[in-house]
Amino acid sequence: MRFFLLLTFFIFSVGSGNGCQLENSSTEATKDWWETAQFYQIYPRSFKDSDGDGIGDLNGITSKLEYLKDLGVTAAWLSPIFTSPMVDFGYDISDFFDIQPEYGTLEDFRALIKRAKELDLKIILDFVPNHSSNESSWFKKSVKREKGYEDYYVWHDGKINATTGDREPPTNWLQYFRGSAWEWNEERQQYYLHQFAVQQPDLNYRNPLVVDQMKRVLRYWLNEGVSGFRCDALPPLFEVLPDADGQFPDEVMTGATDDPDDRDYLTTTYIENQPETIDMVYQWRTVLDDHKRIFGGNSSVLLIETYSAAWFSMQFYGNRSTEGAHLPFNFNLITVMEQKGLSASHVQEAIDLWLNNMPAGRTANWVIGNHDKRRAASRYGEEHIDAMNMLVMILPGASVTYQGEEIGMTDGDISWEDTVDPWGCNSNPDIYEQYTRDPERTPFQWTSGSNAGFTDGPSTWLPLADGYETVNVETESSADRSHLKIYKSLVALRKSSKTLQNGSTKYGILEEDVLVIRRSLTNSPTLVVLINFGTETKTVDVSQFDKSLTANLNLLIRSLDSTKTEGTGYDPLSLSLEPAEALILTTE
C-alpha cells in the first residue's frame, strides 16, 4: 500500500534503565490523517437530546459538532445508532441498514454527515459484527430454516443427559452477561449460541453468506459518507470448529472466581481469539481500501476492539503481505491499572506492553476510557485526570477520548432500581455494582442548569451524575483554569508540534512515583512531561534521565492544581513536583 511505504520505520531500544526509547529514522514523516488523529467517542443516548424525550439523538449530536471542532477533534466515533430493540442499547441490532427511531432518521444522519464535512470533522460508526438482535429478520428466517438463512447463526442440537434423559446445552460455555452462552429455541428445536445477552444471537462467520452480508453493511455506510468503523467485540467472532461428531469442547475452570455464572469462571480457549478472526479483519480492510481505490477521497479507518493479549492483538495490524486494522485499540492504560493500581511504574509497564510489541512501521494509540469502563476520573482519581489526558496526547500515535474525559466527569451513582444495563440486570442487588456499566453512561454535562443542559425535557434516561453543577462545559469554559481548558491546550499543542507528530519518544521512571517522557525531533523543540503519581512532594533531577537537559525548561501546560506558572523557566536539575502534579515543559 502506498501510505504504508511512507510510514517511518521504528527501532526499539532500552535506554540506561530509564524505560524505552523509540527512535525515528528521519526527522519528517508523511502521515495519513488517522495516524495523529484525536478520536472522540460519543455515546449517542447520553450526548445531547434535541427533542425533550430525555434520550440523546442525532440532531443533538449535530447541534454540538462545533463544540467538537473547538476541542480540536479529528473524528467523532458514534456508538451504535442502528435500528435496535435496545436490550443492550444499540449493540443488539435488528436492522444494520437503518437508524434507530429514538435517534432520528436516515435524513437526520445525512444532515449530520453534511455538517461534519463543513466543519472538516470525520464521522466513525460502530460496527457490531459478532451478533444481531433476535428481532432481526435474519434471525427470524434462520429460526424457520428459510433457504439461505439456515446456518446464518450458530445452531446445535445439544446433548442428552445419560442419567436424566434431559436435553442440555452443547457445552458449558458462558456469556459475557452471566450464565450459559446457549439458549433453546422452541420453534427450531435447537440451541443457539449467544456470547452476549440472550437477545444477541451470534452470527455464523463460517457461512460465506454472512461474510458477504456484513461486507455489504460496510459498503452501505461508506457510501453514506462515513470515514471508517470501530469494530465491536472482535475476540468472540469465531468459535472453534466442532469435532467429527459435531460436538464442541467444554472450557475448563480458571479458579479466578467461585461464581459459576461469571464468564471468568471458565477459560475462553474455544470461544475467543481464533485465527479466523484475524483473517476476517484483513478482509474488512480490503473493503475499505477498495472503496478508496474506486471512489477516491481520504482513507477510511478501521479500529478494532480487542482486550486480548499482545500476541493476538498485534496480528490485527496485518502482516508482510496483507494490511489489517489501522488501529487495534490499546487498552493497556486501563487494564494494567485495573490489575495493579495507578503508579509511575505501572504506567511505564502499560506503555511498554504496546510499544515493545507493536510491529515496525505501525501506529500506536492510547485510550483511558469508554462506555464499558468506569470513568477515567473515577478510576484514576480526579486529581490525575489531567495527567492521564496528557499521556494520551503526548505519546506517539492516535488518541481516543471518551465523552466527558475532557471536563473530568465522574461516574454516576446508579441504584439497583435505576439500573438498565443488561450486564447489571442479569445479576442481583447484592452484586450488580460489579457488572453494571450505567455509571459511565450518564448524560453529558453541558451546563449547571436543569438536567445539566442535556435535555429540555423533564427527565433523563439515566440519572445525572453528582457534581454536574460545577463539572460542565459552560462552567469550565468561563473559568480561568479548568480541565476543559487544559485538554484544549493539549490538543492544540499536539496538532501544532512537529515534535509530537514525528519525534522520537523516550520514557521511564525518574524517581519513585515520577514518570518522565521526552519527545524530541531534530531542529525542533524537545518536550518533557513530568508526572508525580505519588502522594508526597518529589524533587527531581531531569538530567539523570537525559544528560542534555540541563538548561532551564519553559513550562507550557500544568495540571489544574499545580501552582507553577506557564511561560516560566524551571531548573531541570532541581524541580519540585507536588503530589499528582503533571507538567509539560519545553526546551524552546
Side-chain angles (χ1 to χ4, degrees), residues 333 366 368 384-395 399 481 486-487 490 494 500 517 528-531 555-560 562 580-585:
L333 289 172
W366 309 95
I368 58 172
H384 291 299
I385 189 61
D386 297 323
M388 300 310 291
N389 280 331
M390 283 183 188
L391 286 176
V392 298
M393 292 296 173
I394 294 301
L395 289 166
S399 67
R481 300 191 71 246
I486 292 168
Y487 180 90
L490 290 169
R494 194 165 184 269
L500 294 183
I517 303 172
V528 177
V529 182
L530 292 167
I531 303 173
L555 179 61
L556 289 179
I557 302 173
R558 59 190 169 112
S559 53
L560 186 60
S562 171
E581 188 172 21
L583 308 173
I584 300 178
L585 306 105

Side-chain angles (χ1 to χ4, degrees), residues 376-441:
S378 293
R379 280 184 289 108
Y380 302 120
E382 294 176 58
E383 69 276 17
H384 291 299
I385 189 61
D386 297 323
M388 300 310 291
N389 280 331
M390 283 183 188
L391 286 176
V392 298
M393 292 296 173
I394 294 301
L395 289 166
S399 67
V400 183
T401 294
Y402 177 53
Q403 63 181 47
E405 287 170 359
E406 73 275 24
I407 59 174
M409 275 185 67
T410 53
D411 289 338
D413 184 9
I414 309 299
S415 68
W416 168 251
E417 290 74 21
D418 288 329
T419 296
V420 293
D421 177 34
W423 204 346
C425 292
N426 282 355
S427 59
N428 62 63
D430 295 327
I431 61 172
Y432 82 98
E433 291 181 337
Q434 300 175 38
Y435 300 101
T436 180
R437 298 165 295 176
D438 291 332
E440 60 264 31
R441 299 177 177 184

Side-chain angles (χ1 to χ4, degrees), residues 134-153 155 187-188 213:
N134 62 347
E135 294 188 20
S136 166
S137 62
W138 304 344
F139 185 73
K140 293 176 181 178
K141 291 176 180 179
S142 191
V143 168
K144 297 180 184 298
R145 301 179 191 261
E146 290 189 19
K147 185 177 181 180
Y149 291 90
E150 301 95 331
D151 299 318
Y152 237 63
Y153 297 83
W155 294 99
E187 182 176 353
R188 178 155 167 151
Q213 180 74 273

Side-chain angles (χ1 to χ4, degrees), residues 159 170-173 240-243 247-251 270:
K159 296 177 180 178
T171 67
N172 64 349
W173 298 351
V240 72
L241 281 166
D243 63 21
Q247 299 302 313
F248 292 111
D250 279 338
E251 298 283 0
Y270 304 119

